[in-house]
Amino acid sequence: MVEEITKKDIRKLKLEELKSFFAGKGDKPFRGQQVYEWLWQKSAKDFDQMTNLSLQTRELLKEHFVINHIKVDKMQRSNDGTIKNAVMLHDGLVVESVLIPTEKRITACVSSQVGCSLACKFCATARLKRMRNLSADEIYDQIVAIRDQAELFFNRPLTNIVFMGMGEPLLNYNNVLEAIHKVTDQKGLGMAWKRITVSTVGVAKMIKKIADDKVKFNLAVSLHSAINKTRSSIMPINDSTPLEELGDAMKHWYQQTKRKVTYEYVVWKGINDKEEDARALLKFAQLIPSKVNIIEYNNIDDPAFQQASPDALRMYQELLEANGITTRIRMSRGKDIDAACGQLANK
Ligand code: SAH
């Protein structure tokens, strides 16, 4: 196994580097192009799959490289069609990814980190220690695996990607962005940027950075309360990044990108189900053009958190809609297999 460790993960090489590897071995640089296509268009997991290369070339590759591909270790299917994958990484760690089918869409919900460092009180993933960031390839592989499942089980193409699995994508931004580049690249999956949504707990500094980068994916921010005291009590990030700072980041986002943001919001009994909570959300949502997704709470066995009443949800929706803010109430999918938002915890 010592040998395995000294070999380089071939997918860390850019196309140009692959070409010069072959040139350095006295072969045609075109081989680099062929290998690149096997890796990124055909998702080869093994050098022996690269059947248009000679045996000798495949041996050469095996001598120098490994392919650190993920492996779908276990797959569970919910009675609503949702599929949850336990994804085994090359070092034995496990993350989860979810395929969510609806009438019009097939969405891949993918993880960006092993575990999470943010400690949101209502989220099951927060109970797992953050072990490491996923590499761009490990993120990309999750998407490819779900694309293949969409074709196999539904005979439909993958239409959307959401970074709402385990981890905080903006704390692993470089790798997330690299994976998105491969997903959108014509030499990769050729998906449109507008089909991709990155969801963040609200890392203000990073929101400003991606605004400056003028990224073309959609941004969702997990708000859950627009009152500092309440938000701090359920999301520790709010202590270091209070709402004023988050609000400034949102204004910067809009100035730079001219794009709407989506706020994700769960309403809990006795925590944020009063009219003053809804009014605070309205005020925050009005800072820039935005829409609100009220998401159903998925139980993670903590008596402090209980889904608010339908009346409370309606109160929120009516107030926001009356003030011109599109508000959807979203019911969860895959609850019976712990595949819904906030339930991913490698159970
Ligand atoms: N770290 C990112 C993405 C992961 S969570 C983020 O915070 O946005 C994806 C969404 O699920 C977030 O909006 C999160 O707040 C929400 N969520 C977490 N736990 C939940 C639960 N138990 N029920 C419903 N939604 C939950």
Side-chain angles (χ1 to χ4, degrees), residues 275-289:
E275 199 182 315
E276 62 174 308
D277 298 296
R279 292 208 172 275
L281 170 58
L282 171 62
K283 206 167 150 213
F284 193 88
Q286 283 172 328
L287 287 176
I288 63 165

Side-chain angles (χ1 to χ4, degrees), residues 22-65:
F22 282 106
K25 298 284 173 198
D27 203 338
K28 298 189 190 74
F30 171 68
R31 292 276 169 268
Q33 176 79 36
Q34 284 180 312
V35 172
Y36 192 86
E37 283 168 14
W38 275 109
L39 293 172
W40 298 112
Q41 273 175 350
K42 298 174 208 157
S43 306
K45 298 180 177 65
D46 198 306
F47 293 114
D48 285 325
Q49 285 177 291
M50 304 182 177
T51 44
N52 60 356
L53 303 183
S54 71
L55 209 56
Q56 207 183 354
T57 306
R58 283 184 253 160
E59 288 307 319
L60 176 73
L61 289 172
K62 284 186 217 170
E63 246 171 64
H64 288 84
F65 302 108

Side-chain angles (χ1 to χ4, degrees), residues 236-261:
I237 175 116
N238 200 67
D239 289 334
S240 55
T241 313
L243 288 157
E244 294 70 27
E245 216 178 307
L246 183 57
D248 283 345
M250 298 326 301
K251 285 187 212 156
H252 191 73
W253 164 263
Y254 191 72
Q255 263 167 19
Q256 295 290 68
T257 67
K258 293 286 172 285
R259 303 243 310 279
K260 264 192 190 184
V261 65

Side-chain angles (χ1 to χ4, degrees), residues 122-123 164-165 167-168 199-201 222 224 264 296-298 341-342:
F122 46 83
C123 179
M164 296 187 187
E168 168 52 43
S199 174
T200 175
V201 73
S222 302
H224 304 311
E264 296 159 275
E296 185 186 8
Y297 172 58
N298 301 304
C341 287

Side-chain angles (χ1 to χ4, degrees), residues 45-181:
K45 298 180 177 65
D46 198 306
F47 293 114
D48 285 325
Q49 285 177 291
M50 304 182 177
T51 44
N52 60 356
L53 303 183
S54 71
L55 209 56
Q56 207 183 354
T57 306
R58 283 184 253 160
E59 288 307 319
L60 176 73
L61 289 172
K62 284 186 217 170
E63 246 171 64
H64 288 84
F65 302 108
V66 287
I67 306 178
N68 280 340
H69 212 283
I70 63 156
K71 185 166 155 261
V72 175
D73 202 36
K74 201 172 130 210
M75 201 187 87
Q76 282 174 281
R77 257 186 114 163
S78 156
N79 48 32
D80 67 20
T82 301
I83 295 175
K84 178 167 89 166
N85 297 306
V87 171
M88 171 88 79
L89 309 173
H90 68 91
D91 54 4
L93 293 171
V94 176
V95 292
E96 291 174 339
S97 67
V98 185
L99 177 159
I100 307 154
T102 61
E103 212 175 292
K104 292 205 188 102
R105 297 176 173 189
I106 291 206
T107 301
C109 173
V110 295
S111 295
S112 55
Q113 298 182 313
V114 185
C116 191
S117 57
L118 290 165
C120 299
K121 301 250 166 77
F122 46 83
C123 179
T125 307
R127 294 173 181 170
L128 305 176
K129 203 172 145 241
R130 191 202 78 101
M131 304 295 285
R132 68 171 172 88
N133 283 339
L134 294 187
S135 70
D137 304 339
E138 289 166 334
I139 297 168
Y140 182 80
D141 287 351
Q142 293 175 66
I143 296 165
V144 171
I146 291 184
R147 179 205 56 183
D148 292 347
Q149 291 174 335
E151 274 160 19
L152 183 66
F153 297 113
F154 299 89
N155 199 16
R156 283 163 55 191
L158 175 67
T159 60
N160 295 71
I161 300 169
V162 295
F163 283 84
M164 296 187 187
M166 293 175 161
E168 168 52 43
L170 294 191
L171 294 181
N172 183 19
Y173 178 56
N174 289 344
N175 293 349
V176 165
L177 193 63
E178 197 185 319
I180 294 178
H181 275 298

